[in-house]
Structure formats: structure tokens, C-alpha cells
Amino acid sequence: MIIGIDDTDSREGMCTTYLAALLIDELSAFGTLLADPLLIRLNPTIPHKTRGNASVAICIDCADPQAVIEHVVSRVSSFSRLECDTTNPGVAFVMDGEYEQVKQELGAFFRRAVTDVISIDDAKDLAAKLGLEFRTFKNGRGLIGSLAACGAMLNPGWDHTYEYLAYRKQDVWGSSRSVDIGSVYGADRKTYPNTWDSVDFVNDLVVCVPHSPDPVLFGIRGNSKSSVSESAELIISESVERSRIFKTNQGTDMHLLSASSISEIEGMHSYILEGTVQSKAETIRGGHSIFVLEDTFGDTIDCAAFEPTKNFREIIRNLLPGDGVVVYGSVMDGTLNVEKINILSIVEDFEKRNPECPSCGKRMKSAGAGQGYRCKKCGTSATDPELIKLERGLKPGFYEVPPCARRHLAKPLVRSEDSEVPLFPGR
Ligand code: ATP
């Protein structure tokens, strides 16, 4: 049977992946794990999310499904942070005999949950229509993610990566984590580019160790189970209660829809959009840099590189009107939050200078608005300024936010076949 779980945690503690790791260990008393457990990231713009809008799914072969259901529901009930307003757990179960008849609809629901906005009623209606067993707590919003995770398990053909998650012992939850930072840098050096986003070399930050009070000690992301394990084994830290490798849709760009015009763009959705820079980026209070992008129909949208994207803002600030770009990112409140940009073409940049006098060689003076230039001494004149070509300081190609600002779903350039990425940036 497949078990999907979502929305058990709060900002004060817990993590749905921890509950999955705990259940996988406990369920070995009931049966055998049949597939890699899933850590699915859903629409990153959903406001109800605690952190990264994750849900999980487990697939086990068991003799007594009712006993498993009871055990899972009792663990979700006791571990969930039900006192928190925004914690509304949902658990969905798909039995072996139901797979074929629900596969397609749950697969489509999974895709929708990653790209679109779904109501709780929609999820409840689908579970009822498909005749699935499910449990909800409080308003039951977690049913959306739990059904989506089941849909992902039933339709395994999507682009995927892996994350090795190590969990802390319960008696130290909430205290500061003890991880040898040097060992994290060493593990990254050894396994990058098969693992990524463990450290941010440019900003000198460890990214794989969270600071929140949840049970995660560290998480290593990578292309294969062997590379994330190799990296995790090199990390020196406090003792680990348990660990688990999840198959995930992290780092795949699964949230992005192709938009052929700005008019089709909706808030709370994420897009790949081609256009022309209409105005140079303005940097507003807080250090956020925003430029205007225009599509071929003349419609425009604000595109932002927010302060947490650090050095990426330099790229955005170097764009000039007329540059051709493809932007990748989520739209919230009418602004596209740029995760990645492909600069297709750059315009030439010129500085205007007063022309030289052909007689004396000195720079002419302006003869007044719209009246060209004149050399007072020699009486010579010119209509146009001299144009000096400037270095752009920006080349066409792909640029991305640094690891410390990466969205879980965003595909790092190091995974892309179509971009030329320096293999070891900053290393
Ligand atoms: P963590 O990353 O720590 O596990 P979280 O960020 O995953 O926490 P949740 O507590 O799971 O956040 O809250 C997200 C809620 O939004 C869940 O109830 C989930 O079912 C719901 N949800 C997920 N995707 C969508 C969607 N596309 N439309 C509407 N609701 C969604």
C-alpha cells in the first residue's frame, strides 16, 4: 500500500520527513518497504506552508493494511503540532488493488499540486470519488499534499534527485546543532557536482544545516543515492538518531510552466517567460532590485531579485533596456521573483560625450537644448554627440541565485545540460 502524509509540522518544531523516517523504521514490524520513500515539494507560493511545502509518501508490502493504517494515524496524531493554527494534517492510503484505477487521476493531481492552487474541497472530493481511505485532522488541508505524494509514487517517471536527511536525537531538538563545518566543506569538495547546495562558496555559508528547531540535522542533495551517502558519511557531527534517503522532485524545475505571453500569467504560479528588458533595474529599500520585462505584445511585468539573492542582484542590475532574456520564477503580487535567468542577447552600451572640435581638438560645448554643439573659440559646430562604446560587464548565458537563496524545486545550473556552468564555482 501507499501512504501519503502532509502538514504535521509547525515553525516551532517537527518535520513531516522525520515522521516518514520514523514510520519507515517502525513499519518494518508490519511489512517490507517496496520503493524509495518520496519527499515531494509542492507549489512554492502556497501561503499555508510552514517552510518548503513538502509532503511524503511511503510504499510498503504488508499483510495487515488495517493495522498499518491504525499505526500511521496514531503516530500522525501524536507527533503533529496540532496546537499550531496552520498545522492541518492529512493522510491518504492507496491499497494495492486500487493502483490501476486511481493512478492517472492522482498523477494529474500531483502535477497540479506542484504548479497550481488546489482547494481542500477539491482534495476531499477526489479522495471520495476514487474511494480512497484517508484521515484528516482539523481543517484537513494536508490531504492535498498527501494525495499528491501518493500520485507521485504511482507515477514514478518524473525527473528526480535524492536527499539524504540525518535527524537529531529528540532530547536535543531545539538546541543549536553541532556539525563540524570543515567536514561539510570537505564532503562538498569530494562529491560536488554530484551533490550540490551543501555549501555556498561565494557567500561562505553552510546551506545543508538548518537553523530552525525541527529534527533535521543536515540534508545532502544530489543526483544519486551513492553520492548523497558518500557526502553524508564524511560529515562529522553530534550523534544522529536516524537517517533516510528520499527520492525527491527537488532541483527539477517541476513548478515552472511555459508562458508565451504576460497576459496568461497568474499570481501563485511559476513560469519560464521570454521578453526584453524595458527598464534598467531599480534598487528599492531593503536592497531588492526590480526591472521591467516586456513581451512581444507590449505587456510588461516587474521582475525582482530580492535581497536574499545576494550577488545575483549584480547580474540583474547590469541588464540594460533592449537585452533579450528568459526569466524563471514564481509570480506573487504581480511580481516575478527571478530564480534563474538566461540572457539571450545584450545590446551595445554607449556613453555620450561632447564631440571634439576638428580645429583645436578641445571638447565643444552644448549650444543649448536640441541645438547641437559649438566650439566658441573656433566657431565650429556639430549636431551629434560622440558615442564611446562601453564594456557591458555581462555576457549572454545562464545565471542563477546562489545556493543560500535557492528554492527547493529550482533546478541548479549544475544539473542542466543546456547551460555552460563553471564546474567548480568558488571552490
Ligand atoms: P515542511 O517543509 O516543514 O514539511 P511545509 O512547508 O511542507 O512544511 P505544510 O505544513 O505541509 O508546509 O503546509 C502546506 C500546506 O499546503 C499543506 O496542508 C498542503 O496540503 C497544502 N498544499 C500543498 N500544495 C498545495 C497546492 N498546490 N494548493 C493548495 N494547497 C497546497
Side-chain angles (χ1 to χ4, degrees), residues 199-262:
V199 294
D200 181 332
F201 268 84
V202 175
N203 295 296
D204 199 15
L205 286 169
V206 169
V207 182
C208 65
V209 180
H211 299 286
S212 45
D214 64 83
V216 174
L217 181 59
F218 59 79
I220 305 295
R221 297 172 179 203
N223 278 324
S224 66
K225 289 192 260 187
S226 57
S227 49
V228 294
S229 295
E230 184 189 355
S231 178
E233 276 156 24
L234 293 167
I235 293 177
I236 301 163
S237 71
E238 65 185 49
S239 52
V240 168
E241 184 198 84
R242 70 188 73 238
S243 61
R244 189 53 67 178
I245 297 176
F246 290 87
K247 177 180 166 184
T248 103
N249 61 345
Q250 291 170 170
T252 62
D253 276 350
M254 192 186 266
H255 59 314
L256 300 174
L257 303 164
S258 260
S260 46
S261 72
I262 290 170

Side-chain angles (χ1 to χ4, degrees), residues 119-141:
S119 70
I120 301 172
D121 282 347
D122 263 10
K124 288 188 174 163
D125 289 350
L126 180 66
K129 179 185 158 198
L130 298 178
L132 298 178
E133 178 116 25
F134 66 94
R135 296 283 192 288
T136 57
F137 298 77
K138 296 166 64 187
N139 76 16
R141 183 175 286 113

Side-chain angles (χ1 to χ4, degrees), residues 74-355:
S74 99
R75 287 315 233 171
V76 170
S77 165
S78 59
F79 270 88
S80 295
R81 294 299 176 110
L82 295 169
E83 70 284 1
C84 170
D85 276 355
T86 54
T87 300
N88 298 285
V91 194
F93 303 93
V94 185
M95 304 302 161
D96 191 9
E98 297 170 326
Y99 285 9
E100 279 316 307
Q101 84 216 40
V102 303
K103 186 177 163 170
Q104 230 171 348
E105 280 192 73
L106 282 184
F109 189 84
F110 158 50
R111 295 270 168 187
R112 262 183 75 206
V114 178
T115 54
D116 203 351
V117 183
I118 298 176
S119 70
I120 301 172
D121 282 347
D122 263 10
K124 288 188 174 163
D125 289 350
L126 180 66
K129 179 185 158 198
L130 298 178
L132 298 178
E133 178 116 25
F134 66 94
R135 296 283 192 288
T136 57
F137 298 77
K138 296 166 64 187
N139 76 16
R141 183 175 286 113
L143 186 62
I144 301 168
S146 60
L147 288 174
C150 291
M153 187 65 91
L154 284 166
N155 297 270
W158 32 275
D159 182 21
H160 63 273
T161 63
Y162 292 91
E163 179 157 4
Y164 181 116
L165 280 157
Y167 299 100
R168 314 183 72 195
K169 297 208 150 148
Q170 293 195 20
D171 56 350
V172 296
W173 288 6
S175 64
S176 64
R177 290 165 174 81
S178 172
V179 177
D180 181 293
I181 298 307
S183 72
V184 178
Y185 276 84
D188 176 88
R189 274 202 191 86
K190 187 91 193 288
T191 56
Y192 182 93
N194 285 320
T195 65
W196 58 83
D197 289 0
S198 295
V199 294
D200 181 332
F201 268 84
V202 175
N203 295 296
D204 199 15
L205 286 169
V206 169
V207 182
C208 65
V209 180
H211 299 286
S212 45
D214 64 83
V216 174
L217 181 59
F218 59 79
I220 305 295
R221 297 172 179 203
N223 278 324
S224 66
K225 289 192 260 187
S226 57
S227 49
V228 294
S229 295
E230 184 189 355
S231 178
E233 276 156 24
L234 293 167
I235 293 177
I236 301 163
S237 71
E238 65 185 49
S239 52
V240 168
E241 184 198 84
R242 70 188 73 238
S243 61
R244 189 53 67 178
I245 297 176
F246 290 87
K247 177 180 166 184
T248 103
N249 61 345
Q250 291 170 170
T252 62
D253 276 350
M254 192 186 266
H255 59 314
L256 300 174
L257 303 164
S258 260
S260 46
S261 72
I262 290 170
S263 62
E264 72 193 54
I265 280 180
E266 289 177 76
M268 296 179 71
H269 291 71
S270 309
Y271 296 98
I272 302 174
L273 172 70
E274 185 171 342
T276 307
V277 176
Q278 193 202 55
S279 76
K280 202 169 156 50
E282 253 184 68
T283 297
I284 60 169
R285 213 166 58 169
H288 316 302
S289 295
I290 301 168
F291 71 95
V292 179
L293 186 79
E294 184 176 358
D295 67 9
T296 45
F297 305 96
D299 290 324
T300 60
I301 187 166
D302 283 350
C303 295
F306 291 105
E307 190 281 333
T309 65
K310 308 281 173 213
N311 43 311
F312 179 66
R313 292 171 300 165
E314 281 310 310
I315 306 298
I316 298 302
R317 288 171 189 155
N318 269 321
L319 291 170
L320 286 182
D323 287 346
V325 297
V326 181
V327 288
Y328 298 68
S330 301
V331 176
M332 294 291 282
D333 303 322
T335 299
L336 188 143
N337 176 355
V338 187
E339 295 163 8
K340 192 158 56 186
I341 189 166
N342 184 6
I343 301 176
L344 301 175
S345 61
I346 53 171
V347 294
E348 291 187 327
D349 189 19
F350 294 99
E351 184 186 299
K352 283 183 189 171
R353 282 209 202 149
N354 292 4

Side-chain angles (χ1 to χ4, degrees), residues 6-9 14-16 41-43 46 48-55 86 88 112-114 116-119 141-146:
D6 196 10
D7 209 345
T8 64
D9 53 5
M14 257 303 283
C15 168
T16 305
R41 298 288 177 179
L42 304 169
N43 186 339
I46 295 300
H48 319 290
K49 68 181 181 179
T50 308
R51 281 176 294 266
N53 203 3
S55 68
T86 54
N88 298 285
R112 262 183 75 206
V114 178
D116 203 351
V117 183
I118 298 176
S119 70
R141 183 175 286 113
L143 186 62
I144 301 168
S146 60

